[in-house]
């Protein structure tokens, strides 16, 4: 139940900020979104609280992107994941599910396996940065949940992603 | 009988690569580079032998005609051109009248409905130019609600007698019904007759479901569902719609299941630590790994004799097709063309493997011999994938998806010759078809 509440909160926030082209459940925008104001805590803006899930998804950045048919982490991805790990290490009451996704250019089964590779690469990196493995799970959606729907590289590049989805609880 | 032999030989060849049948005069076979001329047949509306049979007689003969014409191998002659009328099932056939309109095959039938709602259908098939029946008359019966199945069985008999091949009309297709935009797509399992009739939903849209496959007897479906939040394999009884999770599934995700020909053993993909391998579940026994490699191994499919498994792997760097003994062991690569190959499926005849090929930004459905030779691409589009075989191994159904925000998925079918590509009717967007065996 807690988990569901947290997710609902994320979605509501993403709609309010309306900076994302798709405020869906599968990733709520990258970090560094300029529409969020000062760092001071504002009770009306959960993202201003550095310990909030909203801060994690918007300021830290809950997703990283991958090259075609690859699961290696780019320097940018590593930077985001280092910040994710720091946040998770600070906020130990949260665990996370790392979702792996692929673009639509591939067969269904292969893309499931490819998404799993991506999710696992992220999980391993987070563990290497000190996050307990028991707080992390992975799942692949293959090409089932694109975030952008056009059929060009502009969209594909956004869909080849992992998304770190927080849930309340310190994991198993 | 000599002409009958020609008829059989002509159609048998017509199922192959490039022959054509001349339609004028006695049957003869002409090999050309052109399109096959379908065999013209006449099917007078079946005779209603009692009042209750009236509503079924016309529909039954329509479904038989649609089955045959839908293959692309037969062409229905318009009843407007008929010279003879058939009002008595046992009256002698006026061959001259059917020859005059160039009907090469004639199908006659009679329908009666007994009290209690049982439909009986008698039919006969005639080789017009040989002036002889083709096989014996046959009587089929069933409940009134199953009248379409009776029609499909009649059509299967006709197809089978003329082509020498097994039929495929009395069969079903399980598939994934889709709704909503690409980024919020809802999926439900559904099952229908091969021609799109009698759609029945098997799951609601609460969880993503993927790639259902029939058991060898067609009574169960095995598929992947995200019910738990993670992809796991489920088995459903199609009759009762009762489902259960397949026991003994270690790993993070399990997917891409298929039954072995024994109907009990299941081969599937299991992902652990980011790595996907092929595993085998034996009921009452254990789940064991059949591959053990750091690469992706998925989409396994048994040979019909159960001795081999064909699958895809990117161990060479890109997705390619391999086969291995059913107990595991050293895989042999069988795909060597340009591009990437996936989703191999062994033909029920054992002679061919169908696959998805990706090359230069396009997707194709193709077939190759089981050693990888004689590759032929049957389709090309933005995204074709996931072939499934008709019970007789002559037709392939697959998913075709459109590009962009409005791009929906639909089911298509195509002959193994590459002819007769057509959309299969579904109530909405659809994907991941799997053909049942011929029903009992």
């Amino acid at each position: 139940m807690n988990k569901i509440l947290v997710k609902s909160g994320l979605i509501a926030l993403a709609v309010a900020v309306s900076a994302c082209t798709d405020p869906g459940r599968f990733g709520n925008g990258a970090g560094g979104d300029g529409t969020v104001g000062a760092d001071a805590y504002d009770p009306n803006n959960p993202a201003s609280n550095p310990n909030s899930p909203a801060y994690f998804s918007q300021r830290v950045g809950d997703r990283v992107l991958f090259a075609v048919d690859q699961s290696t982490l780019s320097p940018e991805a590593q930077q985001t994941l280092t910040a994710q790990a720091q946040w998770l290490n600070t906020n130990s009451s949260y665990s996370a599910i790392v979702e792996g996704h692929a673009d639509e250019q591939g067969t269904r089964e292969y893309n499931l396996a490819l998404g799993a590779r991506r999710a696992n690469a992220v999980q391993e990196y987070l563990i290497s940065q000190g996050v307990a493995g028991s707080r992390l799970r992975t799942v692949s959606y293959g090409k089932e949940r694109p975030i952008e729907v056009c059929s060009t590289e502009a969209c594909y590049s956004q869909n080849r992603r992992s998304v770190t989805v927080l849930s309340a609880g310190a994991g198993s | 009988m000599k002409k009958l032999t020609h008829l059989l030989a002509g159609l048998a060849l017509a199922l192959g690569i490039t022959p054509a049948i001349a339609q004028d005069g006695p049957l003869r076979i002409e090999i050309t580079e052109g399109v096959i001329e379908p065999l013209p047949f006449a099917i007078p509306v079946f005779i209603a032998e009692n009042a209750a049979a009236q509503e079924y007689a016309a529909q039954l003969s329509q479904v038989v005609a649609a089955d045959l014409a839908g293959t692309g191998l037969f062409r229905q002659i318009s009843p407007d051109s008929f010279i003879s009328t058939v009002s008595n099932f046992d009256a002698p056939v006026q061959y001259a009248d059917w020859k005059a309109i160039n009907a090469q095959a004639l199908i006659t039938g009679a329908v009666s409905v007994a009290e209690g709602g049982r439909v009986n259908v008698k039919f006969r098939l005639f080789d017009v130019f040989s002036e002889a029946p083709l096989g014996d008359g046959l009587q089929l019966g069933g409940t009134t609600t199953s009248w379409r199945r009776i029609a499909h069985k009649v059509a299967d008999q006709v197809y089978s007698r003329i082509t020498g091949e097994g039929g495929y009309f009395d069969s079903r297709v399980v598939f994934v019904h889709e709704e909503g935009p690409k980024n919020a797509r809802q999926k439900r399992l559904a099952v229908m007759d091969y021609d799109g009739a009698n759609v029945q939903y098997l799951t609601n849209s609460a969880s993503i479901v993927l790639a259902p496959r029939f058991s060898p007897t067609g009574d169960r479906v095995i598929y992947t569902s995200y019910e738990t939040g993670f992809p796991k394999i489920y088995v459903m009884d199609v009759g009762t719609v009762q489902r259960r999770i397949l026991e003994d599934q270690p790993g993070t995700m399990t997917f891409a299941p298929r039954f072995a020909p024994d109907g009990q053993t299941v081969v599937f993909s299991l992902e652990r630590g980011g790595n996907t391998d092929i595993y085998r579940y034996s009921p009452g026994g254990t789940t064991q790994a059949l591959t053990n490699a750091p690469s992706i191994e998925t989409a396994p499919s048994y040979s019909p004799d159960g001795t081999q498994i064909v699958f895809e792997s990117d161990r060479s760097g890109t997705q390619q097709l391999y086969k291995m003994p059913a107990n595991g062991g050293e895989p042999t690569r069988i795909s060597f063309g340009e591009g990437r190959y996936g989703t191999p499926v062994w033909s029920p005849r054992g002679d061919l493997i169908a696959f998805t090929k990706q090359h230069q930004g396009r997707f194709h459905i193709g077939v190759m011999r089981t050693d990888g030779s004689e590759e032929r691409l049957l389709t090309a589009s933005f995204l074709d994938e996931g072939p499934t075989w008709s019970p007789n191994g002559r037709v392939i159904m697959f998913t075709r998806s459109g590009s962009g925000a409005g791009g929906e998925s639909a089911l298509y079918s195509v002959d193994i010759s590459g002819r007769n590509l057509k959309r299969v009717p579904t109530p909405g967007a659809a994907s991941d078809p799997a053909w049942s065996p011929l029903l009992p």
Side-chain angles (χ1 to χ4, degrees):
Chain A
M1 206 46 211
N2 278 341
K3 183 171 160 183
I4 291 164
L5 287 176
V6 170
K7 280 178 187 162
S8 313
L10 286 174
I11 291 166
L13 183 92
V15 171
V17 171
S18 74
C20 314
T21 51
D22 183 347
R25 153 149 168 12
F26 296 87
N28 291 295
D33 190 310
T35 57
V36 178
D39 283 346
Y41 178 64
D42 172 0
N44 296 319
N45 183 359
S48 64
N49 176 359
N51 296 321
S52 69
Y55 184 93
F56 178 84
S57 65
Q58 293 179 44
R59 308 297 289 273
V60 174
D62 62 357
R63 73 174 103 155
V64 298
L65 305 179
F66 294 87
V68 177
D69 200 18
Q70 295 299 315
S71 57
T72 48
L73 299 170
S74 66
E76 294 84 354
Q78 293 186 24
Q79 200 175 350
T80 301
L81 294 176
T82 301
Q84 283 189 9
Q86 283 166 0
W87 192 95
L88 285 164
N89 289 333
T90 306
N91 297 278
S92 56
S93 64
Y94 289 92
S95 55
I97 295 176
V98 181
E99 300 174 348
H101 299 268
D103 67 32
E104 68 186 1
Q105 294 181 296
T107 49
R108 201 175 309 288
E109 296 85 351
Y110 183 84
N111 278 354
L112 278 177
L114 178 59
R117 271 182 180 164
R118 288 173 176 161
N120 184 68
V122 167
Q123 182 186 38
E124 284 187 353
Y125 191 87
L126 294 175
I127 290 172
S128 78
Q129 298 298 304
V131 180
S134 59
R135 295 171 62 198
L136 301 170
R137 295 188 74 179
T138 58
V139 64
S140 174
Y141 284 91
K143 61 176 172 178
E144 300 305 313
R145 286 290 180 263
I147 197 157
E148 300 288 351
V149 295
C150 74
S151 293
T152 63
E153 178 56 21
C155 289
Y156 292 160
S157 63
Q158 298 301 306
N159 292 335
R160 294 188 300 264
R161 70 199 191 279
S162 79
V163 183
T164 306
V165 179
L166 297 177
S167 49
S172 50
Chain B
M1 278 319 280
K2 194 176 174 189
K3 284 171 184 166
L4 168 62
T5 312
H6 284 179
L7 183 68
L8 288 169
L11 257 290
L13 266 169
L15 287 161
I17 316 301
T18 49
I21 299 164
Q23 65 182 97
D24 56 330
L27 272 182
R28 66 173 191 274
I29 299 156
E30 244 176 48
I31 308 294
T32 72
E33 296 297 312
V35 175
I36 289 179
E37 189 61 44
L39 186 143
F41 70 95
I43 180 166
V45 174
F46 286 2
I47 299 155
E49 294 193 320
N50 55 21
Q54 290 285 358
E55 65 171 300
Y56 296 104
Q59 296 183 97
L60 271 156
S61 23
Q62 273 169 17
V63 170
V64 174
D67 281 347
L68 294 171
T71 63
L73 300 174
F74 302 89
R75 176 173 62 80
Q76 184 183 10
I77 296 173
S78 166
D80 296 341
S81 64
F82 290 179
I83 299 165
S84 276
T85 55
V86 178
S87 52
N88 180 343
F89 184 64
D90 294 315
V93 169
Q94 303 301 309
Y95 287 110
D97 290 350
W98 300 107
K99 271 186 212 176
I101 60 169
N102 199 32
Q104 298 193 356
L106 169 68
I107 303 155
T108 64
V111 185
S112 62
V113 177
E115 268 184 59
R118 192 171 171 79
V119 184
N120 273 296
V121 179
K122 294 181 287 188
F123 84 95
R124 288 199 180 100
L125 172 63
F126 300 93
D127 179 346
V128 171
F129 286 85
S130 298
E131 301 194 358
L134 186 45
D136 296 331
L138 202 64
Q139 181 161 318
L140 296 159
T143 60
T144 47
T145 51
S146 65
W147 69 268
R148 290 187 73 95
R149 284 201 57 196
I150 301 172
H152 291 319
K153 281 190 180 298
V154 170
D156 275 328
Q157 278 290 328
V158 172
Y159 177 94
S160 204
R161 290 178 187 191
I162 294 179
T163 64
E165 307 275 339
Y168 64 88
F169 308 123
D170 186 24
S171 61
R172 308 203 82 194
V173 172
V174 63
F175 65 100
V176 173
H177 170 84
E178 300 189 352
E179 281 175 34
K182 278 185 176 178
N183 56 356
R185 187 149 284 168
Q186 297 194 314
K187 296 192 163 191
R188 303 174 69 180
L189 278 195
V191 64
M192 64 184 185
D193 296 352
Y194 99 99
D195 59 358
N198 292 324
V199 174
Q200 181 197 354
Y201 295 97
L202 302 177
T203 64
N204 62 26
S205 55
S207 313
I208 299 173
V209 287
L210 304 173
R213 315 288 184 201
F214 274 108
S215 65
T217 45
D219 56 342
R220 288 165 297 144
V221 165
I222 193 162
Y223 63 101
T224 302
S225 170
Y226 281 71
E227 262 180 55
T228 64
F230 299 85
K232 289 287 174 190
I233 297 167
Y234 293 76
V235 180
M236 177 181 284
D237 182 300
V238 180
T240 64
V241 199
Q242 294 293 310
R243 70 186 190 284
R244 63 178 174 81
I245 194 162
L246 187 74
E247 62 265 37
D248 200 16
Q249 296 180 64
T252 309
M253 328 193 291
T254 45
F255 60 102
R258 259 183 216 279
F259 283 107
D262 69 12
Q264 301 299 322
T265 306
V266 176
V267 66
F268 60 95
S269 273
L270 183 150
E271 179 266 335
R272 187 164 14 204
N275 183 39
T276 299
D277 271 302
I278 291 171
Y279 282 69
R280 182 176 62 188
Y281 161 82
S282 307
T286 51
T287 292
Q288 76 183 96
L290 298 182
T291 65
N292 181 13
S295 42
I296 289 172
E297 276 71 37
T298 188
S301 166
Y302 276 95
S303 62
D305 66 4
T307 63
Q308 294 179 85
I309 292 170
V310 64
F311 64 97
E312 62 174 76
S313 167
D314 69 348
R315 59 185 61 199
S316 71
T318 61
Q319 258 175 300
Q320 298 292 337
L321 306 185
Y322 295 78
K323 59 182 181 181
M324 67 179 169
N327 292 322
E330 195 54 38
T332 309
R333 180 169 164 177
I334 60 168
S335 62
F336 291 97
E338 288 181 281
R340 302 159 59 129
Y341 295 77
T343 73
V345 191
W346 216 298
S347 153
R349 300 161 64 95
D351 56 343
L352 295 170
I353 288 167
F355 55 84
T356 304
K357 178 168 175 162
Q358 249 177 292
H359 184 48
Q360 294 181 334
R362 301 276 284 172
F363 281 72
H364 309 269
I365 301 297
V367 293
M368 57 174 58
R369 296 185 64 83
T370 60
D371 62 1
S373 64
E374 297 181 37
E375 173 180 324
R376 285 185 288 131
L377 299 183
L378 309 180
T379 73
S381 91
F382 168 73
L383 211 177
D384 287 348
E385 71 171 309
T388 180
W389 290 95
S390 64
N392 69 351
R394 287 303 188 180
V395 181
I396 289 170
M397 203 179 286
F398 60 96
T399 307
R400 172 165 287 184
S401 303
S403 69
E408 288 196 335
S409 296
L411 309 188
Y412 278 75
S413 67
V414 66
D415 277 7
I416 56 166
S417 64
R419 292 197 182 84
N420 205 33
L421 174 72
K422 58 182 185 177
R423 187 167 176 168
V424 180
T426 50
S431 60
D432 291 5
W435 219 313
S436 79
L438 208 54
L439 298 176

